[in-house]
Amino acid sequence: MRDLPQHRPVLAGTVHNGTSEAGVRLEALPEGHLLHVLGAIEPSALTGALAKVGFAKSAIRKAGFRQWFVAGDEPLVPASLDALAAALAGKAYVMDQSHGRVRIGVSGRSSRVLLSKGTAVDLDPAVFLEGHSVMTMVGHLSVQIVRTGEDSFELTVLRSFAESLWEDLSHMAASAEKDSA
Protein backbone atom coordinates (compact mmCIF):
# COMPACT_ATOMS: atom_id res chain seq x y z
CA MET A 1 0.00 0.00 0.00
CA ARG A 2 1.45 3.32 -1.03
CA ASP A 3 -0.14 5.32 1.78
CA LEU A 4 1.70 3.43 4.54
CA PRO A 5 4.63 5.28 6.10
CA GLN A 6 8.03 4.18 4.88
CA HIS A 7 10.92 3.66 7.29
CA ARG A 8 13.69 6.19 6.90
CA PRO A 9 16.69 6.16 9.22
CA VAL A 10 16.41 9.27 11.37
CA LEU A 11 20.03 10.33 10.78
CA ALA A 12 20.12 9.40 7.09
CA GLY A 13 22.28 11.82 5.20
CA THR A 14 23.90 13.40 8.26
CA VAL A 15 27.63 13.93 8.04
CA HIS A 16 30.14 15.23 10.56
CA ASN A 17 32.62 17.37 8.68
CA GLY A 18 35.53 16.95 11.11
CA THR A 19 38.94 16.25 9.64
CA SER A 20 40.88 13.11 10.41
CA GLU A 21 43.65 15.19 12.02
CA ALA A 22 41.12 16.57 14.51
CA GLY A 23 40.66 13.18 16.11
CA VAL A 24 36.85 13.02 16.28
CA ARG A 25 34.46 10.96 14.20
CA LEU A 26 30.68 10.90 14.52
CA GLU A 27 28.81 8.07 12.84
CA ALA A 28 25.13 7.27 12.52
CA LEU A 29 25.12 3.54 13.30
CA PRO A 30 22.81 1.10 11.52
CA GLU A 31 19.26 1.04 12.83
CA GLY A 32 19.35 -2.70 13.38
CA HIS A 33 17.78 -3.91 16.60
CA LEU A 34 17.64 -2.73 20.19
CA LEU A 35 15.86 -4.91 22.72
CA HIS A 36 15.14 -3.99 26.34
CA VAL A 37 15.39 -7.00 28.65
CA LEU A 38 14.06 -6.79 32.21
CA GLY A 39 14.29 -9.53 34.82
CA ALA A 40 16.34 -11.51 37.29
CA ILE A 41 18.59 -13.15 34.71
CA GLU A 42 22.36 -13.22 34.82
CA PRO A 43 24.24 -11.77 31.82
CA SER A 44 25.81 -15.18 31.11
CA ALA A 45 22.35 -16.80 30.90
CA LEU A 46 21.15 -13.94 28.70
CA THR A 47 24.17 -14.44 26.42
CA GLY A 48 23.30 -18.13 26.12
CA ALA A 49 19.65 -17.43 25.31
CA LEU A 50 20.67 -14.85 22.69
CA ALA A 51 23.04 -17.32 21.01
CA LYS A 52 20.35 -20.02 20.86
CA VAL A 53 17.89 -17.81 18.96
CA GLY A 54 20.24 -16.09 16.52
CA PHE A 55 21.38 -12.97 18.37
CA ALA A 56 24.96 -14.15 19.00
CA LYS A 57 26.47 -11.03 17.35
CA SER A 58 24.43 -8.69 19.55
CA ALA A 59 26.01 -6.74 22.41
CA ILE A 60 24.56 -6.73 25.93
CA ARG A 61 24.64 -3.38 27.76
CA LYS A 62 23.58 -2.86 31.37
CA ALA A 63 20.76 -0.32 31.44
CA GLY A 64 19.85 -0.34 35.15
CA PHE A 65 19.00 -2.74 37.96
CA ARG A 66 18.06 -6.04 36.29
CA GLN A 67 17.81 -4.29 32.92
CA TRP A 68 19.86 -4.72 29.75
CA PHE A 69 19.83 -3.41 26.22
CA VAL A 70 20.65 -5.93 23.51
CA ALA A 71 21.97 -4.03 20.48
CA GLY A 72 22.96 -5.18 17.03
CA ASP A 73 23.27 -4.01 13.44
CA GLU A 74 20.98 -6.65 11.90
CA PRO A 75 17.28 -5.76 11.44
CA LEU A 76 14.91 -7.50 13.83
CA VAL A 77 12.90 -10.42 12.51
CA PRO A 78 9.60 -10.87 14.42
CA ALA A 79 10.11 -14.64 14.65
CA SER A 80 13.48 -14.06 16.36
CA LEU A 81 11.86 -11.76 18.92
CA ASP A 82 9.19 -14.40 19.62
CA ALA A 83 11.88 -17.08 20.00
CA LEU A 84 13.84 -14.91 22.44
CA ALA A 85 10.71 -14.14 24.47
CA ALA A 86 10.02 -17.89 24.69
CA ALA A 87 13.63 -18.63 25.70
CA LEU A 88 13.44 -16.01 28.47
CA ALA A 89 9.95 -16.98 29.69
CA GLY A 90 9.82 -17.04 33.47
CA LYS A 91 13.21 -15.35 33.76
CA ALA A 92 12.90 -12.03 31.96
CA TYR A 93 10.73 -9.94 29.68
CA VAL A 94 11.89 -8.57 26.35
CA MET A 95 10.57 -5.47 24.59
CA ASP A 96 11.51 -4.27 21.13
CA GLN A 97 12.89 -0.72 21.26
CA SER A 98 14.36 -0.80 17.73
CA HIS A 99 11.84 1.69 16.40
CA GLY A 100 12.25 4.08 19.32
CA ARG A 101 15.99 4.49 19.83
CA VAL A 102 18.97 5.43 17.69
CA ARG A 103 22.68 4.65 18.14
CA ILE A 104 25.49 7.10 17.36
CA GLY A 105 29.18 6.20 17.28
CA VAL A 106 31.76 8.65 18.64
CA SER A 107 35.40 7.74 18.08
CA GLY A 108 38.89 9.15 17.74
CA ARG A 109 41.63 10.43 19.98
CA SER A 110 39.51 13.43 21.07
CA SER A 111 36.31 11.45 21.69
CA ARG A 112 36.63 11.69 25.49
CA VAL A 113 37.26 15.44 25.25
CA LEU A 114 34.13 15.78 23.13
CA LEU A 115 31.94 13.76 25.49
CA SER A 116 33.32 15.50 28.59
CA LYS A 117 31.79 18.71 27.24
CA GLY A 118 28.31 17.20 27.60
CA THR A 119 28.40 14.80 30.55
CA ALA A 120 29.88 14.55 34.03
CA VAL A 121 30.68 10.82 33.67
CA ASP A 122 34.36 10.02 34.22
CA LEU A 123 35.32 8.42 30.89
CA ASP A 124 38.94 7.73 31.79
CA PRO A 125 39.83 4.23 30.51
CA ALA A 126 41.06 3.26 33.99
CA VAL A 127 37.60 3.99 35.45
CA PHE A 128 35.15 3.46 32.56
CA LEU A 129 36.39 0.20 31.07
CA GLU A 130 35.62 -1.16 27.61
CA GLY A 131 32.16 -2.73 27.64
CA HIS A 132 30.93 -0.56 30.51
CA SER A 133 27.76 1.45 30.04
CA VAL A 134 25.96 4.18 31.92
CA MET A 135 22.66 5.97 31.61
CA THR A 136 23.36 9.69 31.93
CA MET A 137 22.57 13.11 30.55
CA VAL A 138 24.41 14.62 27.60
CA GLY A 139 23.37 18.22 27.81
CA HIS A 140 19.63 18.01 28.38
CA LEU A 141 19.13 14.58 26.79
CA SER A 142 18.99 11.17 28.47
CA VAL A 143 21.58 8.95 26.77
CA GLN A 144 23.21 5.59 27.32
CA ILE A 145 26.99 5.75 26.80
CA VAL A 146 28.92 2.54 26.16
CA ARG A 147 32.70 2.32 25.77
CA THR A 148 33.27 0.12 22.73
CA GLY A 149 37.05 0.58 22.44
CA GLU A 150 40.01 2.59 23.72
CA ASP A 151 38.81 5.79 22.05
CA SER A 152 35.34 4.79 20.86
CA PHE A 153 31.88 5.07 22.35
CA GLU A 154 28.33 4.32 21.36
CA LEU A 155 25.50 6.61 22.43
CA THR A 156 21.89 5.46 22.43
CA VAL A 157 19.14 8.07 22.52
CA LEU A 158 15.40 8.19 22.02
CA ARG A 159 14.64 8.47 18.31
CA SER A 160 12.84 11.80 18.61
CA PHE A 161 15.96 13.36 20.17
CA ALA A 162 18.55 11.84 17.79
CA GLU A 163 18.85 14.86 15.50
CA SER A 164 19.19 17.18 18.49
CA LEU A 165 21.93 14.99 20.00
CA TRP A 166 23.70 14.81 16.63
CA GLU A 167 23.66 18.60 16.36
CA ASP A 168 24.95 18.98 19.94
CA LEU A 169 27.72 16.43 19.31
CA SER A 170 28.72 18.22 16.09
CA HIS A 171 29.05 21.52 17.97
CA MET A 172 30.97 19.84 20.80
CA ALA A 173 33.21 18.12 18.22
CA ALA A 174 34.13 21.46 16.68
CA SER A 175 35.01 22.76 20.14
CA ALA A 176 36.93 19.58 21.06
CA GLU A 177 38.90 19.81 17.83
CA LYS A 178 39.95 23.38 18.71
CA ASP A 179 40.88 22.30 22.26
CA SER A 180 43.04 19.40 21.08
CA ALA A 181 44.83 21.46 18.42
Side-chain angles (χ1 to χ4, degrees):
M1 296 170 107
R2 299 193 129 185
D3 58 343
L4 291 177
Q6 298 297 313
H7 177 76
R8 180 186 73 81
V10 70
L11 295 175
T14 55
V15 176
H16 170 65
N17 292 323
T19 61
S20 58
E21 304 88 50
V24 176
R25 178 176 182 204
L26 301 180
E27 177 183 14
L29 297 175
E31 290 188 20
H33 63 272
L34 186 73
L35 308 174
H36 192 181
V37 177
L38 296 101
I41 186 170
E42 294 297 318
S44 59
L46 179 56
T47 300
L50 290 169
K52 286 180 187 176
V53 297
F55 289 103
K57 293 182 181 178
S58 300
I60 300 173
R61 283 86 187 262
K62 188 154 183 63
F65 179 68
R66 294 185 174 175
Q67 297 183 50
W68 295 267
F69 281 137
V70 175
D73 293 342
E74 301 81 24
L76 183 65
V77 177
S80 297
L81 180 61
D82 293 342
L84 181 59
L88 297 177
K91 300 175 218 147
Y93 298 96
V94 60
M95 293 167 287
D96 179 16
Q97 295 289 306
S98 307
H99 62 284
R101 297 182 190 261
V102 172
R103 298 177 303 135
I104 299 172
V106 178
S107 60
R109 62 180 169 78
S110 297
S111 58
R112 283 181 284 148
V113 173
L114 177 149
L115 292 173
S116 71
K117 294 180 178 299
T119 187
V121 174
D122 185 353
L123 299 172
D124 186 280
V127 177
F128 195 74
L129 304 173
E130 188 172 333
H132 282 195
S133 64
V134 64
M135 295 298 296
T136 188
M137 301 296 285
V138 174
H140 65 287
L141 301 173
S142 179
V143 174
Q144 181 187 46
I145 299 176
V146 180
R147 180 182 287 280
T148 57
E150 177 67 25
D151 288 320
S152 59
F153 300 86
E154 186 175 295
L155 282 63
T156 303
V157 64
L158 289 171
R159 183 179 190 84
S160 57
F161 295 121
E163 290 175 322
S164 179
L165 179 60
W166 183 272
E167 187 175 305
D168 290 348
L169 290 171
S170 294
H171 289 297
M172 288 188 286
S175 177
E177 291 163 359
K178 289 177 189 171
D179 291 349
S180 66

